[in-house]
Each structure stands twice: as structure tokens, then as C-alpha cells.
Amino acid sequence: MHERKKNVLDEREMMEMYRVEHFGLWLMYGLLCASILVQLLLGAQLRQMAGELAVMVITSVAMIFANARHGIWDQSSRPSMRGNAAYSVASGVLVAAVLAAVGRGVRFALLAGAGAGAACMLLLTGLMQYMKRRQEKTDEELDND
């Protein structure tokens, strides 16, 4: 059995390390998304981007589940229908714009964008309800202690 290494960082250094890692993760994620977008705009086939897409999807799902499990929605906002609607509209517009840019046809792009926006709204609303139930359960447990 291997031993865990002793942590030699103090609280300030740990917070700084977490800040650097946080920035690095989001920089990597943004560059990965940009890479996929550029490849799409240059006409790459989905099978050519399979690795990048798999990493993006797995990372996205893992981060969403990890944050939800710990009761974290976002650093600067709380879950709300207004926020869900804004993100859903933005995702729908982005999907429609990318599909139109790669020449999939305006009607198809608009339908896919509307579908993506609706799916995003459903997922965010479901996640918001889960988070609210989780927070209520946590508050209830704290009150009982």
C-alpha cells in the first residue's frame, strides 16, 4: 500500500493553487471548444473530431455532476428560470449560427437551434430542481443537528 504524501502548502498557497488550476481548467476547456468550432467551420467531419468531442462531453458532464453533488451552481449566480432561459437562448442561437455557417441550411439550423435551446432549458430546469431539493435536504439536516 502506498503512503499519501504530506501536504507542504499552507492555506494561502492552497487557495492560490486552486485559483491557478481553476483558471487553467477553464482556459483548456475554452480552447478545446474553440478547436472544435474551428474544425467544424473548416469542414471537418465529426469522426475527425471524435477525440476532442469525447473529452469535451465527458469533462462537461463530470463537472456538472460534481458541482451539483456538492450543491454548487455557479460562482456568481444562483439557479433561476431567468438564467436558465438566457443560457438556453444563447445555446440555441450558437447552435443555429454554427450550423448555418457550416452550410447546413437556414431552416435546418433554426430547427436544430430551437431544439438545442429547448433541450438546454429542460436540462437546466431539471438540474435546478435537483439543486433546490438537495439544498433543502442539507438545510433540514443542519437544522436537525
Side-chain angles (χ1 to χ4, degrees):
M1 198 160 116
H2 74 57
E3 295 180 36
R4 284 184 75 168
K5 291 185 178 184
K6 181 182 175 190
N7 183 359
V8 296
L9 301 177
D10 63 24
E11 285 184 36
R12 183 195 58 77
E13 291 169 323
M14 288 293 293
M15 290 302 294
E16 189 61 31
M17 183 184 75
Y18 291 147
R19 214 178 338 270
V20 168
E21 288 177 349
H22 179 84
F23 176 78
L25 172 73
W26 285 108
L27 177 64
M28 180 188 66
Y29 188 80
L31 291 172
L32 178 62
C33 292
S35 169
I36 292 168
L37 182 60
V38 167
Q39 290 180 63
L40 275 172
L41 295 174
L42 292 175
Q45 299 296 315
L46 287 178
R47 68 177 173 268
Q48 293 172 303
M49 299 178 282
E52 291 98 327
L53 288 168
V55 169
M56 186 190 71
V57 169
I58 291 167
T59 302
S60 299
V61 170
M63 292 296 290
I64 289 168
F65 280 116
N67 281 332
R69 188 172 149 248
H70 288 73
I72 300 168
W73 183 261
D74 185 41
Q75 184 177 358
S76 58
S77 67
R78 297 278 180 222
S80 71
M81 288 303 286
R82 183 177 180 189
N84 291 355
Y87 282 118
S88 298
V89 168
S91 69
V93 168
L94 181 64
V95 166
V98 168
L99 290 174
V102 297
R104 297 297 288 228
V106 174
R107 188 161 63 185
F108 177 79
L110 290 174
L111 286 172
C120 184
M121 186 66 176
L122 283 171
L123 290 170
L124 286 172
T125 301
L127 186 59
M128 181 178 74
Q129 295 303 322
Y130 169 79
M131 294 282 294
K132 286 184 178 183
R133 283 193 309 272
R134 183 148 179 83
Q135 286 174 339
E136 287 170 3
K137 183 179 176 184
T138 302
D139 291 345
E140 201 174 285
E141 289 172 357
L142 289 173
D143 289 343
N144 290 337
D145 289 341

